[in-house]
Amino acid sequence: MTLRGWVDNFRSSGKIAFLILRDGTGRTQCVLSRKEVGDDAFAAAGALTQESSVSVTGRVNLDDRAPGGAEIHVQSLEVHQLAGPGALSAF
Protein backbone atom coordinates (compact mmCIF):
# COMPACT_ATOMS: atom_id res chain seq x y z
CA MET A 1 0.00 0.00 0.00
CA THR A 2 1.14 3.55 -0.66
CA LEU A 3 -0.05 6.43 1.50
CA ARG A 4 0.58 10.09 0.70
CA GLY A 5 0.12 12.73 3.37
CA TRP A 6 1.53 15.30 5.73
CA VAL A 7 3.62 14.64 8.83
CA ASP A 8 1.54 15.12 11.96
CA ASN A 9 4.00 13.67 14.49
CA PHE A 10 7.28 11.74 14.64
CA ARG A 11 9.06 9.89 17.43
CA SER A 12 12.00 7.52 17.41
CA SER A 13 13.79 5.18 19.78
CA GLY A 14 16.92 4.73 17.67
CA LYS A 15 16.20 1.59 15.62
CA ILE A 16 12.46 2.07 15.20
CA ALA A 17 10.42 5.17 14.49
CA PHE A 18 6.74 6.02 14.48
CA LEU A 19 5.48 8.50 11.92
CA ILE A 20 1.89 9.74 12.11
CA LEU A 21 0.67 10.82 8.68
CA ARG A 22 -2.45 12.88 8.02
CA ASP A 23 -4.37 12.80 4.78
CA GLY A 24 -7.94 13.60 3.74
CA THR A 25 -9.29 10.50 5.48
CA GLY A 26 -7.60 10.87 8.90
CA ARG A 27 -4.38 9.84 10.63
CA THR A 28 -2.33 6.68 10.15
CA GLN A 29 0.60 5.37 12.16
CA CYS A 30 3.58 4.32 10.05
CA VAL A 31 6.31 2.17 11.60
CA LEU A 32 9.84 2.51 10.23
CA SER A 33 12.52 0.00 11.10
CA ARG A 34 16.10 1.06 10.34
CA LYS A 35 16.79 -2.54 9.33
CA GLU A 36 13.93 -2.60 6.82
CA VAL A 37 14.13 0.87 5.24
CA GLY A 38 17.91 1.37 5.46
CA ASP A 39 20.03 4.10 7.00
CA ASP A 40 19.35 6.77 4.37
CA ALA A 41 15.54 6.54 4.55
CA PHE A 42 15.66 6.31 8.34
CA ALA A 43 17.81 9.47 8.50
CA ALA A 44 15.43 11.23 6.07
CA ALA A 45 12.51 10.34 8.34
CA GLY A 46 14.38 11.77 11.33
CA ALA A 47 14.78 15.09 9.51
CA LEU A 48 11.05 15.45 8.77
CA THR A 49 9.24 18.47 10.17
CA GLN A 50 5.57 18.84 10.93
CA GLU A 51 3.51 19.40 7.75
CA SER A 52 6.23 17.98 5.47
CA SER A 53 4.66 15.99 2.61
CA VAL A 54 5.71 12.37 2.08
CA SER A 55 4.72 9.06 0.53
CA VAL A 56 5.24 5.79 2.34
CA THR A 57 4.89 2.33 0.84
CA GLY A 58 4.60 -0.78 2.96
CA ARG A 59 2.35 -3.49 4.28
CA VAL A 60 -0.72 -2.90 6.42
CA ASN A 61 -0.84 -4.55 9.83
CA LEU A 62 -3.95 -4.59 12.02
CA ASP A 63 -3.08 -3.41 15.55
CA ASP A 64 -5.60 -2.18 18.12
CA ARG A 65 -2.93 0.05 19.70
CA ALA A 66 -2.51 2.08 16.49
CA PRO A 67 -4.75 5.05 15.66
CA GLY A 68 -7.66 3.66 13.65
CA GLY A 69 -6.70 0.06 14.47
CA ALA A 70 -4.11 -0.38 11.70
CA GLU A 71 -0.58 0.73 10.87
CA ILE A 72 1.75 0.62 7.90
CA HIS A 73 5.09 -1.14 8.24
CA VAL A 74 7.12 1.04 5.90
CA GLN A 75 9.34 -0.46 3.22
CA SER A 76 10.12 2.80 1.42
CA LEU A 77 9.81 6.51 2.14
CA GLU A 78 9.77 9.39 -0.34
CA VAL A 79 9.98 12.99 0.87
CA HIS A 80 8.15 15.36 -1.50
CA GLN A 81 8.60 18.61 0.42
CA LEU A 82 10.23 19.44 3.74
CA ALA A 83 8.19 22.10 5.55
CA GLY A 84 10.16 24.94 7.04
CA PRO A 85 9.68 26.47 10.48
CA GLY A 86 6.44 28.37 10.84
CA ALA A 87 4.83 26.56 7.89
CA LEU A 88 1.41 26.88 9.51
CA SER A 89 1.75 30.53 10.48
CA ALA A 90 0.82 31.72 6.96
CA PHE A 91 -2.71 30.41 7.46
Side-chain angles (χ1 to χ4, degrees):
M1 161 178 212
T2 298
L3 176 66
R4 294 173 182 89
W6 296 271
V7 175
D8 190 59
N9 195 6
F10 178 83
R11 57 189 165 82
S12 175
S13 66
K15 294 182 182 181
I16 192 165
F18 297 93
L19 174 65
I20 306 296
L21 285 187
R22 176 182 51 79
D23 69 0
T25 64
R27 289 176 171 73
T28 303
Q29 178 169 280
C30 305
V31 181
L32 293 94
S33 163
R34 183 185 299 269
K35 182 178 180 181
E36 189 159 354
V37 299
D39 290 334
D40 291 341
F42 200 82
L48 292 172
T49 54
Q50 192 172 27
E51 296 302 318
S52 294
S53 58
V54 299
S55 295
V56 296
T57 300
R59 63 188 184 286
V60 176
N61 184 49
L62 298 179
D63 189 332
D64 291 334
R65 299 171 297 173
E71 60 190 12
I72 297 176
H73 286 250
V74 178
Q75 296 166 325
S76 67
L77 168 78
E78 180 181 356
V79 178
H80 299 292
Q81 192 264 334
L82 193 60
L88 294 178
S89 63
F91 299 101

